[in-house]
């Protein structure tokens, strides 16, 4: 991490605001901490563009946290968002808005520190060269594919098949386990022993009877739905902030 994260905490409840500020002040990965008691006040503060990390309450009078997150989608360099709420009903929606994490009140310090770790990792991944290129062979010609254009990758024997936004697919000779580990900091998630997906291209997460699937972007504005293995469902649900039994 190049420098501590400049942070804004938004909550209409003063005790919660005070507690978060106190806990964050104990974390040396956090730099300056500003506060806001409403969505309108938060937007005024965010307009300066000098906030790296935003802790955002969802249920607030007027502009809700979800409203603010949607508005931030118009910013050229929006801050990382961590939602803070007493309810888990908006977890999937928060994930769709590319939130780094989803914290449930009351806040536990160790859980808060994990959220900050995720924000730092996400920031570092963005600062790194997210468009690393992969050399692939096509009809005897070596071409280069941008990693950021890969929507998902699946194991095929000793190879991995990369699926890209333009609809092409390419085989590379590498174990999926190694690829999943190497690309995890670039936002790739393991959802199956034979599948990883690029979080940047997930447009929806679906839960049904304890099973999960992710929907990723596909060519021509279409989507592809990928099943999540049971062993990875818990990790996915934890990522979007839902409770698990």
């Amino acid at each position: 991490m190049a420098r501590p994260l400049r942070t804004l905490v938004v909550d209409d409840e003063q005790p919660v605001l005070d507690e978060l500020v106190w806990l964050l002040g104990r974390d040396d990965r956090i730099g300056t901490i500003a506060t806001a008691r409403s969505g309108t006040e938060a937007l005024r503060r965010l307009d300066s563009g000098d906030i790296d990390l935003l802790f955002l309450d969802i249920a607030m009078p007027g502009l809700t946290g979800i409203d603010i997150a949607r508005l931030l989608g118009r910013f050229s360099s929006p801050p990382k968002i961590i939602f803070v709420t007493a309810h888990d009903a908006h977890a999937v929606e928060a994930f769709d808005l590319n939130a780094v994490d989803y914290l449930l009140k009351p806040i536990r310090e160790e859980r808060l520190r994990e959220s900050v770790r995720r924000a730092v990792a996400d920031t570092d991944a963005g600062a790194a060269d997210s468009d690393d290129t992969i050399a692939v062979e096509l009809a005897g010609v070596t071409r280069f594919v941008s990693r950021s254009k890969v929507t998902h990758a699946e194991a095929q024997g000793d190879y991995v098949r990369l699926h890209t936004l333009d609809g092409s697919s390419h085989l590379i000779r590498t174990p999926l386990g190694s690829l999943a580990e190497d690309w995890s900091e670039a936002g790739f998630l393991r959802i199956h022993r034979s599948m990883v997906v690029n979080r940047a291209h997930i447009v929806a997460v679906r839960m049904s009877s304890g099973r999960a699937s992710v929907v990723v972007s596909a060519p021509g504005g279409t989507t592809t739905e990928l099943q999540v293995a049971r062993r990875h469902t818990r990790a996915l649900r934890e990522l979007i902030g839902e409770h698990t039994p």
Side-chain angles (χ1 to χ4, degrees):
M1 185 175 66
R3 56 171 171 75
L5 299 175
R6 299 166 297 184
T7 303
L8 174 63
V9 183
V10 185
D11 201 298
D12 63 317
E13 300 178 19
Q14 191 65 50
V16 176
L17 202 63
D18 293 342
E19 180 184 26
L20 264 173
V21 169
W22 183 77
L23 290 173
L24 289 169
R26 293 159 55 90
D27 194 322
D28 58 12
R29 295 167 297 184
I30 299 296
T32 58
I33 304 174
T35 63
R37 290 283 304 275
S38 71
T40 302
E41 184 182 357
L43 285 176
R44 284 198 297 266
R45 183 64 183 81
L46 288 162
D47 196 48
S48 64
D50 61 353
I51 298 297
D52 304 308
L53 178 60
L54 176 62
F55 285 86
L56 190 55
D57 185 23
I58 288 182
M60 294 186 293
L63 285 173
T64 68
I66 297 293
D67 293 333
I68 295 171
R70 287 182 178 137
L71 290 170
L72 286 177
R74 304 173 185 175
F75 283 44
S76 58
S77 299
K80 306 299 179 185
I81 298 174
I82 295 175
F83 283 111
V84 183
T85 181
H87 309 286
D88 62 0
H90 297 282
V92 173
E93 188 173 12
F95 186 82
D96 290 345
L97 290 166
N98 295 319
V100 171
D101 207 352
Y102 188 95
L103 281 174
L104 291 175
K105 301 175 184 178
I107 304 300
R108 294 180 292 111
E109 184 170 11
E110 62 270 24
R111 184 65 179 83
L112 178 62
R113 291 187 66 84
E114 169 60 17
S115 291
V116 174
R117 185 199 67 76
R118 292 182 184 185
V120 170
D122 205 55
T123 300
D124 288 347
D129 183 7
S130 61
D131 248 1
D132 282 353
T133 55
I134 305 97
V136 298
E137 293 290 330
L138 186 62
V141 178
T142 300
R143 301 180 184 275
F144 295 93
V145 175
S146 297
R147 183 173 61 185
S148 63
K149 304 300 183 184
V150 175
T151 59
H152 58 291
E154 59 180 327
Q156 291 191 353
D158 295 330
Y159 292 81
V160 169
R161 181 169 295 278
L162 306 177
H163 297 269
T164 64
L165 282 174
D166 64 6
S168 63
S169 68
H170 309 277
L171 281 175
I172 59 173
R173 191 177 180 88
T174 187
L176 185 71
S178 297
L179 182 143
E181 183 177 349
D182 293 344
W183 289 11
S184 61
E185 291 190 359
F188 283 76
L189 310 174
R190 191 78 175 260
I191 63 168
H192 192 278
R193 63 185 178 86
S194 61
M195 184 84 67
V196 297
V197 299
N198 187 344
R199 180 177 174 176
H201 298 305
I202 295 177
V203 297
V205 177
R206 295 172 179 166
M207 299 284 184
S208 177
S209 302
R211 298 302 300 270
S213 63
V214 295
V215 181
V216 298
S217 303
T222 61
T223 58
T224 300
E225 186 169 358
L226 305 170
Q227 294 299 312
V228 180
R230 286 191 182 276
R231 63 176 295 189
H232 295 287
T233 297
R234 177 180 291 271
L236 179 68
R237 294 178 68 182
E238 288 177 352
L239 179 69
I240 64 174
E242 290 191 11
H243 290 303
T244 53

